[in-house]
Amino acid sequence: MATDTDIPMLEMRGITKRFPGVLANDAVDLTVRSGEVHTLLGENGAGKSTLMKILFGLYQPDEGEIRLNGEAIEVESPSFAISHGIGMIHQHFMLVPTLTVAENVALGTRSTRWPLTDLPVVSRRVEEISEKFGLAIDPSIEVWKLAVGERQRVEIIKALYRDARLLVLDEPTAVLTPQEVEEFFGILNEMRSSGHGLIFISHKLREVVAISDEITVLRNGRVTGHTTPAESDRQQLATMMVGREVSLAPDRPEIEPGDSRLVIRNLVVESDRGTTAVDGLDLDVRAGEIVGIAGVSGNGQRELAEVIAGLRDARAGSSVQVNGVEVVGQGARLSRDAGLAYVPEERMRDGAIGDFTVSENLVLVDHGSEEFSRRGLLRFGMIRSHSQELVDRFNVKTPGLDTTTSSLSGGNIQKLILARELASGPTVLLAAQPTRGVDIGAAEYIHAQIIEQRGAGAAALVVSEDLDELLAIADRIAVMFEGRIIGIVEIEDATRETLGLMMAGIHEGSPA
Amino acid sequence: MSDFFTATVLFSTLAAGIRLSTPFLFAGLGEMIGQKSGVLNLGVEGVMLLSAFFAYWTALSTGSLWLAVLVGMLVGLLMGVVYGLITVVFHAEQGISGIGIFLFGLGFSDLMFQENVGTPKFTSKLPSVDIPLLSDIPHVGVAFFQHSAMTYTAFVMVPLVMILLRRTTFGTNIRAVGENPESADSLGVSVARMRFSAIVIGNTLAGVAGTALVLELGIFQPNLTAGRGFIAIALVYFGAWRAPGVMAGALLYGLVEATVITWKALGIIPRSLSDISAMAPAVITIGALVILARRVKPPAALTQPFSRH
């Protein structure tokens, strides 16, 4: 497979990058050969992104050297990287939605008909590349009309169009369904066998093991290990990544579920664009169980969660009862008073206020209560002691109670929100994407907390796009597709394959 | 009313409407190019005033209209460089910076006028250029083919701007940095350079707009533009960030304005309503804006300064 000569495609030697107060990369070495998928594994803040930004010319290293095919280079800008055959597929797609595929691909390249564009020429090459790597994309379509998986393929085409030989893929599977991941790996295999060098950034251990030839593990800016899937399994990789033993499968004691605490009947909800997002949904969540909602993003999960939380109205005739209280269209306060705790998907938009202090965010819901205010004046003493207790109990790592919340890491902000929501001992817990963008260590903790609530008799509804997460903590998994629950699977019967097919809208008894 | 519906009056009203729409068209197209790149320029009015004054002063002191047009353009270009420095290089908040440019233009053009001219004097106006043969067609010739070079240029700009934005690499880059600057940056397109260029082009066109206005009248007075620069910004929204849309808006505005003037002259609008009727173009344009308001989204990165990380 490989043109595996003595000279590697890429050598990064002793890369060091300092930011004020942080050593982001500390003498990092990375060697990538042609025809190799090399995974960079590490938690948020481990230094993967910094290293890749240096490779792509977005940052300049303080120390160290980069060799491309044996030749020392100084990557002064992204254009330099691109012109030397380095391509980057960013985690957040770098596409202009209002432009066509061909326009996006051609952006920043020289036109053969300058100053005019040469879209027919570009389109022909896009089709050639699509053909060769099995990408199947129509160059004349506007990007906003494409599905997420297709947009990613446009990103790959963009890189290949620029003759990229070395591709950096920054968490490329985060937004894909299991089936799309399979297809995506097929594309990677094509590129690998045509001699491209691929740097795969991920913290999804299952995928890392499935696709990698080599694995370099980073922690706190340093390389802490170098291995291959043959030498290390998922558990060992997790340990290398976190620096201590972590449990990938949390303990879930057997509990006999009680009465239904969250009852949803005939729920119909409109999206912001006026289309039907939730289309006649029925669901029960009982005390002492965790129900997972799986599905590709955009199938009504967000709208479902917002209606339960009282943040969105539903069509007449819909019913959502929290502990027997009808909450549809009554506002967030009523949902909360009925016993709901809500951990929203967009934690910095709906869950916490970035400019507020840790302590202010911890009483964001309750600051009007007798406990924390009297005659309209806040009782700072009470607030502080309550906040300190929560920070200790939920292991929120913060320099202090008066620290600005936005300066905390994603995992700690999520723990802060969880602390606030669970403090009151809720009977119904609604958590959307509770561990998205959160370190394994923090995710492990958050999962344990949700399971603990289940043990205390709460009914938990967890919306997640991460199947591994749901498979680890849920008792039942309901799959949403086009606004409906296409099926509910008991955890004993749940496999990635059946869930994946359901996520794509395929289910026994339903037309394929 | 019957006086109005005669061919002569109708076509001369049409001619006046087209003439009046000229500054709106220049300024609107310029603003649109800037907004396409993601930069809102609220300073159009101020730039128009500055260019109007300096073009007028040039015409007054040299007698050369060509030189006046050149000076008007250069003043716009210079203000574009200033606004580009403020917003692109120093990342200042666009709304406030634009208002600053407006206030500066309003005050400085007034000051310069008081210091250097004082009492208004007429200068020569832009001559009308009759298009051979076409201008001899009865009525139609008057309406469409007996205008100044400025007016013709304004309408020729419409397809040119369309080609620039749709068919050139430069235009694709402009649209890209206005929609998703991170994307453009990651492909080696300089966001700063694109936005700076768009601002300079836009302000130059605003300068031309002011120049066209003053040379059409042949006289300058403080606050000559009387809000036209702000209307031009509204026309960009009215036209849904498309050159023909901006042209339609400019024409609508110009025609309503011309109709009001004609009706006043004919006594259709009583003298007592004269002041109120002056608001008609604005009211009608805003009304049309509300009714026509399609679900067209502005460039996604409009007003957002760009810097890495």
Side-chain angles (χ1 to χ4, degrees):
Chain A
M1 83 182 175
T3 51
D4 211 351
T5 55
D6 290 349
I7 302 169
M9 191 172 230
L10 173 73
E11 279 177 286
M12 295 180 88
R13 286 255 173 88
I15 301 290
T16 296
K17 177 71 185 173
R18 297 179 198 92
F19 291 114
V22 187
L23 190 56
N25 280 166
D26 184 4
V28 173
D29 293 333
L30 177 71
T31 304
V32 182
R33 292 173 190 280
S34 155
E36 165 181 299
V37 176
H38 194 123
T39 293
L40 268 185
L41 185 65
E43 304 229 80
N44 299 320
K48 298 168 299 190
S49 298
T50 304
L51 188 66
M52 289 302 104
K53 282 181 172 166
I54 288 170
L55 174 61
F56 202 59
L58 288 166
Y59 294 154
Q60 298 306 314
D62 296 323
E63 283 163 40
E65 69 164 1
I66 303 175
R67 286 177 172 273
L68 197 64
N69 300 314
E71 213 173 301
I73 53 169
E74 268 179 48
V75 192
E76 66 231 9
S77 68
S79 338
F80 181 95
I82 291 167
S83 68
H84 283 71
I86 301 171
M88 182 127 162
I89 314 291
H90 298 265
Q91 184 182 3
H92 304 286
F93 296 151
M94 290 289 186
L95 296 170
V96 185
T98 51
L99 301 188
T100 66
V101 170
E103 282 174 328
N104 266 288
V105 170
L107 205 59
T109 61
R110 246 199 122 64
S111 163
T112 53
R113 286 170 53 212
W114 192 89
L116 298 181
T117 51
D118 56 349
L119 296 179
V121 183
V122 178
S123 298
R124 228 171 300 130
R125 268 214 60 206
V126 167
E127 276 159 6
E128 280 169 27
I129 294 169
S130 299
E131 184 90 6
K132 187 171 172 203
F133 294 97
L135 296 162
I137 290 289
D138 172 5
S140 66
I141 198 162
E142 281 160 352
V143 164
W144 63 266
K145 295 176 181 160
L146 297 177
V148 173
E150 294 174 308
R151 289 185 197 196
Q152 185 161 59
R153 280 179 257 158
V154 177
E155 288 284 20
I156 295 173
I157 292 172
K158 263 166 65 181
L160 295 175
Y161 182 87
R162 289 166 173 73
D163 294 320
R165 300 294 301 158
L166 178 68
L167 262 93
V168 181
L169 304 145
D170 188 4
E171 305 211 8
T173 59
V175 290
L176 303 181
T177 64
Q179 269 73 24
E180 284 177 317
V181 171
E182 286 303 310
E183 286 171 35
F184 178 72
F185 281 178
I187 296 165
L188 292 195
N189 281 328
E190 283 297 323
M191 290 197 281
R192 167 157 54 190
S193 53
S194 67
H196 288 85
L198 302 167
I199 301 177
F200 181 65
I201 300 178
S202 181
H203 55 243
K204 291 194 182 175
L205 298 169
R206 179 185 307 280
E207 293 168 0
V208 170
V209 171
I211 194 74
S212 311
D213 297 306
E214 301 281 332
I215 301 169
T216 295
V217 186
L218 288 177
R219 189 169 74 234
N220 296 332
R222 251 181 245 123
V223 173
T224 53
H226 185 94
T227 181
T228 65
E231 294 165 28
S232 307
D233 64 10
R234 290 207 291 145
Q235 188 63 56
Q236 287 165 315
L237 288 174
T239 306
M240 285 167 84
M241 182 157 100
V242 183
R244 62 175 168 84
E245 287 284 330
V246 286
S247 96
L248 293 176
D251 285 337
R252 236 165 25 96
E254 285 292 323
I255 295 180
E256 195 55 40
D259 298 335
S260 292
R261 290 196 181 273
L262 176 66
V263 179
I264 304 171
R265 289 288 174 272
N266 188 32
L267 183 64
V268 181
V269 189
E270 277 184 10
S271 73
D272 292 338
R273 284 176 296 171
T275 55
T276 305
V278 178
D279 190 7
L281 184 140
D282 300 307
L283 186 67
D284 285 86
V285 186
R286 293 167 293 176
E289 75 167 347
I290 299 173
V291 174
I293 297 276
V296 179
S297 125
N299 274 287
Q301 301 97 314
R302 173 185 302 233
E303 288 80 2
L304 168 67
E306 287 181 354
V307 170
I308 300 170
L311 300 175
R312 182 182 284 272
D313 243 337
R315 197 82 57 77
S318 303
S319 165
V320 175
Q321 295 192 349
V322 175
N323 290 314
V325 180
E326 181 61 52
V327 299
V328 165
Q330 304 291 315
R333 179 52 67 186
L334 186 94
S335 292
R336 287 184 175 281
D337 288 347
L340 179 89
Y342 177 45
V343 178
E345 173 176 351
E346 301 266 345
R347 72 180 68 106
M348 287 318 289
R349 195 190 69 188
D350 302 332
I353 300 175
D355 290 336
F356 277 23
T357 65
V358 167
S359 146
E360 282 171 329
N361 269 308
L362 281 169
V363 294
L364 208 52
V365 178
D366 299 325
H367 61 268
S369 72
E370 273 294 297
E371 194 184 352
F372 301 126
S373 69
R374 189 178 288 155
R375 287 186 288 279
L377 292 177
L378 293 172
R379 302 170 69 181
F380 288 105
M382 296 294 285
I383 291 175
R384 285 196 76 82
S385 59
H386 174 74
S387 304
Q388 191 59 53
E389 189 196 318
L390 287 182
V391 163
D392 294 342
R393 190 172 129 210
F394 285 86
N395 201 11
V396 181
K397 288 198 193 94
T398 170
L401 295 177
D402 297 325
T403 305
T404 308
T405 304
S406 58
S407 67
L408 302 186
S409 74
N412 279 303
I413 292 172
Q414 191 72 334
K415 283 198 236 168
L416 183 158
I417 294 169
L418 206 67
R420 182 186 69 214
E421 296 297 322
L422 299 185
S424 56
T427 47
V428 177
L429 169 64
L430 169 61
Q433 320 294 349
T435 60
R436 177 187 280 170
V438 163
D439 291 339
I440 287 196
E444 180 192 22
Y445 182 82
I446 290 166
H447 287 158
Q449 288 297 324
I450 294 174
I451 290 167
E452 196 181 310
Q453 293 298 313
R454 164 183 177 269
L461 185 64
V462 178
V463 181
S464 178
E465 281 160 36
D466 182 353
L467 275 186
D468 286 328
E469 167 166 62
L470 295 181
L471 287 167
I473 65 169
D475 296 293
R476 295 188 291 150
I477 298 176
V479 180
M480 273 187 88
F481 180 73
E482 292 184 347
R484 293 166 187 274
I485 288 180
I486 190 168
I488 301 184
V489 189
E490 297 290 332
I491 196 69
E492 297 79 33
D493 310 323
T495 63
R496 297 179 57 80
E497 289 64 37
T498 51
L499 291 171
L501 286 172
M502 286 162 76
M503 285 164 76
I506 302 161
H507 186 44
E508 309 119 56
S510 77
Chain B
M1 203 59 167
S2 61
D3 294 343
F4 181 65
F5 290 103
T6 62
T8 314
V9 175
L10 278 177
F11 279 100
S12 62
T13 305
L14 187 55
I18 290 171
R19 199 176 59 241
L20 289 169
S21 66
T22 304
F24 294 118
L25 191 46
F26 275 122
L29 290 174
E31 176 71 16
M32 187 187 84
I33 293 171
Q35 290 199 10
K36 275 290 196 184
S37 81
V39 183
L40 174 71
N41 178 10
L42 292 180
V44 184
E45 177 90 356
V47 176
M48 283 175 72
L49 277 169
L50 287 171
S51 284
F53 171 76
F54 282 102
Y56 166 75
W57 194 23
T58 308
L60 206 59
S61 36
T62 68
S64 165
L65 286 178
W66 283 113
L67 204 57
V69 171
L70 188 69
V71 167
M73 279 179 72
L74 284 176
V75 170
L77 188 143
L78 185 72
M79 291 311 291
V81 172
V82 171
Y83 193 62
L85 282 173
I86 294 171
T87 56
V88 176
V89 180
F90 300 118
H91 302 292
E93 213 279 324
Q94 293 171 11
I96 297 297
S97 317
I99 291 171
I101 295 272
F102 157 59
L103 290 173
F104 169 75
L106 181 66
F108 193 67
S109 62
D110 190 0
L111 175 74
M112 292 301 283
F113 177 75
Q114 305 300 351
E115 288 292 315
N116 297 299
V117 184
T119 47
K121 287 185 274 255
F122 273 101
T123 168
S124 48
K125 296 190 198 179
L126 285 172
S128 90
V129 180
D130 297 358
I131 308 277
L133 299 177
L134 292 174
S135 61
D136 297 335
I137 304 169
H139 302 309
V140 176
V142 178
F144 296 108
F145 303 110
Q146 298 183 16
H147 288 288
S148 70
M150 276 291 198
T151 300
Y152 297 129
T153 310
F155 284 88
V156 169
M157 287 299 294
V158 174
L160 287 184
V161 169
M162 285 172 74
I163 291 168
L164 178 80
L165 288 175
R166 291 267 144 206
R167 300 261 173 256
T168 67
T169 53
F170 178 76
T172 311
N173 289 347
I174 293 273
R175 286 187 288 143
V177 300
E179 289 287 344
N180 189 348
E182 288 78 17
S183 159
D185 182 54
S186 75
L187 295 173
V189 174
S190 164
V191 177
R193 203 174 302 159
M194 283 303 139
R195 288 192 167 170
F196 206 101
S197 314
I199 291 169
V200 170
I201 294 171
N203 277 268
T204 306
L205 287 177
V208 175
T211 308
L213 180 68
V214 77
L215 295 184
E216 198 72 63
L217 296 168
I219 196 158
F220 184 88
Q221 64 183 52
N223 192 23
L224 176 81
T225 50
R228 283 176 175 80
F230 289 105
I231 297 292
I233 297 170
L235 292 179
V236 176
Y237 290 77
F238 177 90
W241 294 271
R242 282 159 208 255
V246 173
M247 180 179 81
L251 276 172
L252 174 70
Y253 203 96
L255 287 171
V256 174
E257 203 175 352
T259 306
V260 169
I261 292 168
T262 310
W263 284 6
K264 269 195 230 170
L266 293 174
I268 296 171
I269 298 175
R271 194 169 286 269
S272 56
L273 293 179
S274 163
D275 289 340
I276 290 179
S277 66
M279 300 193 314
V283 172
I284 288 173
T285 311
I286 291 167
L289 188 59
V290 171
I291 294 162
L292 293 175
R294 283 151 292 176
R295 290 200 175 183
V296 185
K297 283 199 210 134
L302 187 60
T303 75
Q304 291 171 15
F306 174 78
S307 58
R308 275 183 196 160
H309 357 297

